[in-house]
Amino acid sequence: MTRRPLVLVVDDEHDFRAIVSHVLDRGGYDVVAAGNGEDGLKMFEDYTPDLVVLDGNLPDMDGIDVCRKLRATEKGKLVPVVMCTVRSAVGTVGEGLSAGVTDYVVKPFEMEELLERVEKALEKSRGQ
């Protein structure tokens, strides 16, 4: 039996985190979740997920800073990061891409779109 990919969801909105975690679980992923950037970074170190779904606007630091900190670690250099952001923050896409964000999903979005982006990012990271 093959291991299900592990996804770390980092978002400060409890309901959003719960919905995304549920959808990812039903989509074939194991999920761990954090409510802020600092906890997300700690969980990343503890669990070494295969992919991170990251909110662009967290209470303690923005998602781009979290991504930069992930990319600065040996474990985090190659792990795909899918950033979830609101339409008004789309102007930071270029900054996010330069910080190492793999892909973006603009809130609100369909959960099927998130699943597609996650799968594509994982395929790309595996070189498929």
Side-chain angles (χ1 to χ4, degrees), residues 38-105:
E38 190 169 320
D39 288 348
L41 290 168
K42 172 124 179 51
M43 290 185 86
F44 185 87
E45 280 299 311
D46 292 346
Y47 291 95
T48 313
D50 299 292
L51 182 136
V52 178
V53 174
L54 179 61
D55 184 14
N57 188 20
L58 297 164
D60 57 343
M61 62 182 86
D62 76 22
I64 292 171
D65 289 336
V66 173
C67 187
R68 281 191 183 111
K69 289 179 184 215
L70 289 176
R71 294 294 186 231
T73 69
E74 196 59 42
K75 290 180 183 179
K77 285 181 182 172
L78 301 175
V79 173
V81 176
V82 176
M83 178 87 64
C84 299
T85 187
V86 292
R87 187 163 305 281
S88 61
V90 170
T92 62
V93 168
E95 184 183 0
L97 294 173
S98 69
V101 172
T102 307
D103 200 357
Y104 272 88
V105 182

Side-chain angles (χ1 to χ4, degrees), residues 2-19:
T2 60
R3 177 180 78 83
R4 289 169 32 134
L6 178 63
V7 177
L8 169 60
V9 176
V10 183
D11 196 292
D12 61 317
E13 295 177 36
H14 179 270
D15 291 345
F16 182 79
R17 221 175 34 246
I19 291 167

Side-chain angles (χ1 to χ4, degrees), residues 86-128:
V86 292
R87 187 163 305 281
S88 61
V90 170
T92 62
V93 168
E95 184 183 0
L97 294 173
S98 69
V101 172
T102 307
D103 200 357
Y104 272 88
V105 182
V106 178
K107 291 179 182 180
F109 52 82
E110 296 294 323
M111 288 298 156
E112 293 78 21
E113 178 186 4
L114 177 65
L115 285 172
E116 287 174 22
R117 303 274 180 136
V118 164
E119 185 56 38
K120 285 181 183 175
L122 283 170
E123 286 174 5
K124 188 176 178 182
S125 76
R126 295 180 196 128
Q128 296 178 347

